[in-house]
Amino acid sequence: MDSVDVQVLKRADEWVRSGHRAVMGTIVRTWGSAPRPVGSLVVIRDDGLVVGSVSGGCIEDDLVDRVRTRALAASAPQVVTYGITAEDAFKFGLPCGGTLELVLEPLTSGSHVPELLARIMDGKQTVRTLDMKSGQVTLQEGQGTDVLCVAEDKLVTVHGPRWRLLIIGAGQLTHFVAQMALALDYQVTICDPREEYADGWLVPGTSLVRTMPDDTVIEFRPDRNTAIIALTHDPKLDDLALMEASKSPAFYVGAIGSHKNQATRRERLLEFGVTAEQIELLHGPIGLKNGARTPSEIAVSILAELTGVKYGYRIPAPIPVATVATLEAGCVV
């Protein structure tokens, strides 16, 4: 499954190759309750077709009209702002007086969209620098810490995997987690030294290594954009990964298993030298408590929790529906 950026860039490349004029818009700044985050893309074709989104519809309608009449970014990149006044915010459907700033650029052979796509599809994070005067673009390999920035003379954007996910175990659940993680712009690596699982790995776009989990974590060099999850149910493998991952700056480290299994795991890790403070940061049982039963449902719950932690949210476990109904009936549970 392609990420949103890839879908937009692929369509833009198709349009330019077929001879259409196309303008790409990138959100570079937002104030207030802007509907889409910085870095969001939209591409508008000369006949009004649109791919991507920067507002959810209202701003796109205005952009289409102005791109079709060549009133915007006809020959060079241009900065445009929506929602400065309350009247504009209401007109364009921006909530709570939100404001957003876009850089619009006409796409040409100098935009290097095919080269950018090739890099992204190869799993490489890429920094794209747009010269705001000439419209020329340069590409270079990302360092993992690059961020979008805009100045009067250039726009620097980051494309490709911004987040890394290391999964221990190549079982059935991992297939679903990996597929969904790819769609969320993770660079996904699977570690499983067991032949009976590794030999059956079939998810394109991921990397498979057969080294031992502790060695893999060390070689992986986790940073603050890294998540590590253990899914084997085998303490000999999961614990090895967690011992090293718990010492790292990874934003998320956790393992599958019941509350009872997590308790015994924590006791083992303490014996192996993991500190109490490090163990407190471990997630488990992983995943939001949403009643998931099937592997695909469990994968949704795991990635939902990763997303929440990534953005600084801790979502409490819900009260089961049956419990709610009992409480409403006035019973003590």
Side-chain angles (χ1 to χ4, degrees), residues 125 142-147 158 161-166 185-187 189 216-229 244-253 281 306 309-310:
Q125 187 184 90
Q143 302 302 311
T145 57
D146 304 288
V147 295
V158 184
R162 297 170 179 81
W163 303 88
R164 296 189 299 159
L165 173 61
L166 174 60
D185 275 339
Y186 282 93
Q187 184 182 56
T189 300
T216 302
V217 173
I218 293 171
E219 186 176 349
F220 204 70
R221 297 179 181 178
D223 57 23
R224 57 187 175 84
N225 287 349
T226 302
I228 302 172
I229 57 176
E244 296 300 331
S246 63
K247 306 172 188 176
S248 77
F251 79 89
Y252 185 99
V253 177
L281 298 177
L306 256 68
V309 174
K310 183 171 74 173

Side-chain angles (χ1 to χ4, degrees), residues 122-138:
D122 198 32
K124 297 177 180 177
Q125 187 184 90
T126 301
V127 176
R128 181 179 188 264
T129 303
L130 168 70
D131 187 304
M132 293 291 289
K133 294 183 179 179
S134 68
Q136 292 298 303
V137 167
T138 57

Side-chain angles (χ1 to χ4, degrees), residues 54-116:
V54 291
S55 75
C58 300
I59 287 175
E60 282 83 352
D61 292 342
D62 184 70
L63 287 173
V64 167
D65 290 339
R66 298 169 75 182
V67 168
R68 291 176 68 177
T69 60
R70 295 180 177 266
L72 287 175
S75 58
Q78 183 177 348
V79 178
V80 60
T81 304
Y82 285 93
I84 292 179
T85 67
E87 180 181 353
D88 283 344
F90 177 78
K91 175 182 177 182
F92 296 115
L94 293 169
C96 304
T99 300
L100 60 85
E101 184 175 277
L102 301 168
V103 168
L104 301 174
E105 58 174 300
L107 296 178
T108 66
S109 59
S111 303
H112 296 302
V113 173
E115 293 86 348
L116 177 60

Side-chain angles (χ1 to χ4, degrees), residues 297-320:
E297 290 174 345
I298 295 170
V300 169
S301 74
I302 291 172
L303 287 164
E305 184 172 66
L306 256 68
T307 301
V309 174
K310 183 171 74 173
Y311 292 118
Y313 288 89
R314 287 297 185 107
I315 302 173
I319 299 175

Side-chain angles (χ1 to χ4, degrees), residues 203-233:
V203 180
T206 63
S207 299
L208 174 69
V209 297
R210 298 169 182 260
T211 47
M212 292 302 291
D214 51 344
D215 295 332
T216 302
V217 173
I218 293 171
E219 186 176 349
F220 204 70
R221 297 179 181 178
D223 57 23
R224 57 187 175 84
N225 287 349
T226 302
I228 302 172
I229 57 176
L231 301 181
T232 71
H233 281 293

Side-chain angles (χ1 to χ4, degrees), residues 10 23 41 57 70 73 138 145 149 173 187 240 276 293 299 309 318:
K10 278 185 174 180
V23 172
L41 299 178
R70 295 180 177 266
T138 57
T145 57
C149 62
L173 174 58
Q187 184 182 56
L240 285 175
R293 296 290 186 273
V309 174

